[in-house]
Amino acid sequence: MITTEADPVFAMNLLLVGINHRTAPVEVRERMNIQEARLASAVSALAHRDGILEGMILSTCNRVELVTNARDEVEAAPILRSFLAEYHHCDLAPFEPHFYWLRQQDVVRHLFRVASSLDAMVLGEPQVLGQVKEAYATARRVGALDGALDEIVSRSLAVARRVRRETAIGSSAVSVSYAAVELAKKIFGSLAGKTVFVIGAGKMSELAARHLLRSGASAIFVSNRTYERAQELAQAFHGTAIRFEDLFATIDRADIVISSTGAPHFVVTKDQAEKLLAARKNRPIFFVDIAVPRDIDPAVNELDNAFVYDIDDLEQVVEANRLERQREAARAEKIIEEEMTRLQRRLATRELTPTIVAIEARLNRIREAELERFGGRLAALTPDQRRAVEALTRAIQNKILHGPLTELKDGADRPEHGNIVRLIRRIFGVGE
Amino acid sequence: MNADAVLLWLAVGLYGLGLALTVPSVARRRPLLSPSALGALGLGLGFHAASLAAQAAGIHRLPITDVRSALSSFTFLATLAFFLVYLRYRIASLGLFMLPLVLLLTLLSALRAGSSFESPAFRNRWLLVHIASILLGYVGFFLTFVAALMYLIKSRELKSKNPRAFYFRLPALEVCDHLYYRSLVLGLPSLSLGILTGFVWASRTWKGPWELDPKILASIVTWLIYLVLFATRLSGNWGGRRSAALAIFGFVAVLVTFLGISMWSGLHGYFPNLGGGN
């Protein structure tokens, strides 16, 4: 019979210790880092410490976190402390101020928030979900997860997917080169079949071109003052190099122009752009001007169907997207609170199973004993009548149990539920 | 109230509910409409169809020969078009652009209760083809208008370089343009056929200078506007914003032709002197 001192509603003993990019500088984080290659043995060692039931370790460049589910009566903090000190062969004292310690509900919330990328350096960046998945898989593989913590972490992955599905937290670009791709999609919809023209082969334009191609753009032209450099880059992208003098003979085929030359004057003027648009029969064209001084006359933006974004404009889009992500994060927090209530209820219901089984068993014993006692007087019954008596007593038992069991199952999220559970157990004479 | 009127009011209520339910989807930047919004609109469309069928059964022909039923038929086709376009492009914000007018005109139709007048002219096939194809043309131009409006807003936001509310919620410019072109391809031939059959019917039925009827003149103007839009779209001579602006003006002309002129047109406009031939 499970009887515990702890609150029977949430009888887990969760503890999390961690450092992250907010609480610790990189020197501390790298000191506490647990290498990927050693992660499996580390998490296995952690889970095998006396008093620890389950454990998981998340170690990325932005955070190191140990989370455990300890045996109810065990205070896990010293165990985690000594584990870290022994693992890193160091005195933990200098690092203590960087640690944060979380317990019970706060551990659940934290895991949900981390997986959903609400605790990330770049809010909403999807990488961390993969890292949590990885840590979860490793811990499971070595048998360090098999109970409530297992369920909580696996739930956190589902919560993260829900956040991604129901909010736009990760959907807008927060880097300049991705902002260019995002804008291209706002203009063209799908980038399939679109042609990219790179003028001036620099690092930044190369990056933007790479993102565009990965997002579906099909053809690429590269033009540069030094033709060899253009050829080099064109080759890398399986594109076509264009001599700088022949720029305007080809550029009307481009849907997206990325320009980053070192030219001191405009490479594309308004007049040229007008001719370009006429040649394109007014199909839209998108200029990404990442050169300083600028390559594309900003007046080109006034032309119908021409869209010019310089480096500052792209930064502005990135900034707006950051704000948008923050707004979406507020909605994600609500989802997390909702999911916490749901999980808590489920865990609580599951924890009640032993109680329910015990009460049912006890009543059944009483019923059978009474049937036994009356055995002699019931001997004259036909098999049919005997079955009827059996069914009748069983029905009475179930009717009596219906009320208390409903109360047990449905009241799980009420604060006084712990007392109700104890009371019901007392009334039916099980445990305690 | 007649059965068709009851059904129409049900449709009005469900369209209103559907519109109300699209608002949170769009506000939350969901790419798709919620099943409840689509359900309400679909159910509304069903009641609307039943209302039209009940009306048709009552008068034994297409219910398009008076303002009330023509409006009702128009909004039915417009809602149907909304579903088709939504299924093709999957744009939640389309609901915000299409449904308010659909709701308003369906409501007008429902409010304009009462029995329709009769005329032997309504038995004429030419006249029915005339009205039906003009209604279909109007539905096409309604889509053109919506596409143009979305294009203008999106284009303005992209040019301003300051992403605001619609930046995240409207379809890409080329998607708007695609819808714009497709709807012109539906609208212009339909209106042309409608005007042509109207001429044929009028020249056989009416005497006197019927060509100067205000509704006919307005229709010709509308037709010319869309002809210009179609030609410039094919040639690529016009930029997107100019076309979009004219398309919006064109739809205002449609509304004036469809509803406004009916109020004071002599021969036209669903008044009972049709086919009078005086």
Side-chain angles (χ1 to χ4, degrees), chain A residues 110-286:
Chain A
H110 183 77
L111 287 173
F112 282 11
R113 293 187 75 247
V114 167
S116 307
S117 194
L118 291 175
D119 198 48
M121 191 139 85
V122 180
L123 192 64
E125 57 103 21
Q127 211 184 349
V128 66
L129 177 57
Q131 290 161 339
V132 175
K133 248 183 228 167
E134 199 72 24
Y136 174 63
T138 305
R140 273 194 69 114
R141 202 174 55 240
V142 300
L145 286 176
D146 55 6
L149 185 58
D150 186 347
E151 174 149 8
I152 291 166
V153 179
S154 99
R155 195 66 217 150
S156 79
L157 301 174
V159 171
R161 280 193 290 273
R162 183 177 163 206
V163 164
R164 226 141 259 281
R165 198 170 57 241
E166 295 185 14
T167 74
I169 189 154
S171 67
S172 46
V174 287
S175 76
V176 165
S177 50
Y178 271 114
V181 175
E182 180 181 291
L183 283 161
K185 283 185 180 163
K186 302 263 178 221
I187 296 169
F188 300 108
S190 160
L191 297 187
K194 298 299 173 203
T195 301
V196 181
F197 202 116
V198 177
I199 312 175
K203 267 268 158 284
M204 189 89 156
S205 47
E206 195 181 326
L207 191 64
R210 194 177 298 279
H211 287 330
L212 284 167
L213 287 174
R214 204 175 292 152
S215 306
S218 54
I220 186 161
F221 293 100
V222 184
S223 188
N224 198 49
R225 288 259 182 229
T226 39
Y227 184 62
E228 288 68 33
R229 178 79 186 97
Q231 275 180 315
E232 234 170 80
L233 190 60
Q235 209 161 22
F237 287 134
H238 306 290
T240 315
I242 304 290
R243 290 189 184 281
F244 206 74
E245 309 82 71
D246 303 334
L247 187 66
F248 284 96
T250 330
I251 199 171
D252 60 320
R253 286 162 68 183
D255 301 293
I256 302 159
V257 177
I258 303 167
S259 194
S260 65
T261 73
H265 51 78
F266 294 137
V267 176
V268 180
T269 64
K270 194 176 175 186
D271 279 354
Q272 284 162 330
E274 245 169 87
K275 284 194 203 107
L276 189 60
L277 280 163
R280 289 176 57 76
K281 297 199 164 195
N282 270 308
R283 277 176 295 124
I285 185 163
F286 177 33

Side-chain angles (χ1 to χ4, degrees), chain A residues 33-42 59 87 131 134 138 141:
Chain A
N33 190 274
I34 293 169
Q35 287 163 25
E36 211 181 321
R38 299 174 61 196
L39 193 65
S41 61
S59 178
Y87 186 87
Q131 290 161 339
E134 199 72 24
T138 305
R141 202 174 55 240

Side-chain angles (χ1 to χ4, degrees), chain A residues 272-420:
Chain A
Q272 284 162 330
E274 245 169 87
K275 284 194 203 107
L276 189 60
L277 280 163
R280 289 176 57 76
K281 297 199 164 195
N282 270 308
R283 277 176 295 124
I285 185 163
F286 177 33
F287 292 99
V288 181
D289 185 357
I290 41 190
V292 180
R294 287 176 290 180
D295 283 344
I296 317 288
D297 185 348
V300 171
N301 193 51
E302 292 159 19
L303 297 171
D304 233 358
N305 294 6
F307 300 89
V308 183
Y309 276 69
D310 63 31
I311 189 78
D312 280 6
D313 300 332
L314 293 172
E315 295 279 9
Q316 193 173 324
V317 170
V318 166
E319 191 46 44
N321 283 350
R322 273 203 198 104
L323 289 176
E324 180 73 13
R325 281 193 180 198
Q326 275 160 26
R327 278 194 292 275
E328 291 300 302
R331 291 190 31 229
E333 300 278 6
K334 272 192 207 127
I335 291 178
I336 282 174
E337 289 307 315
E338 213 178 287
E339 289 285 346
M340 283 192 54
T341 316
R342 203 191 274 181
L343 175 74
Q344 189 176 333
R345 189 172 307 172
R346 214 173 50 204
L347 289 174
T349 311
R350 218 184 34 198
E351 222 150 76
L352 289 170
T353 310
T355 300
I356 293 169
V357 170
I359 292 174
E360 276 174 345
R362 181 165 169 83
L363 286 205
N364 217 25
R365 272 200 306 279
I366 295 173
R367 190 181 67 86
E368 279 167 359
E370 291 306 300
L371 281 177
E372 188 88 2
R373 216 151 62 83
F374 285 88
R377 268 180 280 171
L378 295 176
L381 295 181
T382 66
D384 244 10
Q385 286 168 325
R386 186 175 285 279
R387 269 197 293 279
V389 171
E390 186 82 15
L392 165 83
T393 49
R394 219 175 264 285
I396 292 173
Q397 178 191 327
N398 289 341
K399 288 259 159 64
I400 292 172
L401 273 181
H402 179 75
L405 292 193
T406 308
E407 185 63 35
L408 273 178
K409 285 175 189 158
D410 291 356
D413 49 341
R414 284 199 295 268
E416 74 277 14
H417 192 245
N419 289 330
I420 292 176

Side-chain angles (χ1 to χ4, degrees), chain B residues 110-178:
Chain B
L111 286 171
R112 235 184 136 96
S115 60
S116 55
F117 54 87
E118 274 303 319
S119 162
F122 292 157
R123 301 280 156 214
N124 188 296
R125 288 244 165 78
W126 285 101
L127 185 64
L128 290 182
V129 172
H130 163 65
I131 302 175
S133 41
I134 280 184
L135 283 182
L136 199 60
Y138 287 171
V139 170
F141 296 149
F142 178 38
L143 288 179
T144 315
F145 161 76
V146 167
L149 197 60
M150 292 196 296
Y151 181 97
L152 267 190
I153 295 172
K154 185 85 175 185
S155 166
R156 170 178 298 191
E157 296 228 337
L158 282 169
K159 291 235 179 238
S160 78
K161 300 167 183 184
N162 187 12
R164 279 173 222 265
F166 282 112
Y167 175 81
F168 300 105
R169 295 179 177 86
L170 288 180
L173 276 186
E174 285 219 326
V175 173
C176 298
D177 183 62
H178 194 244

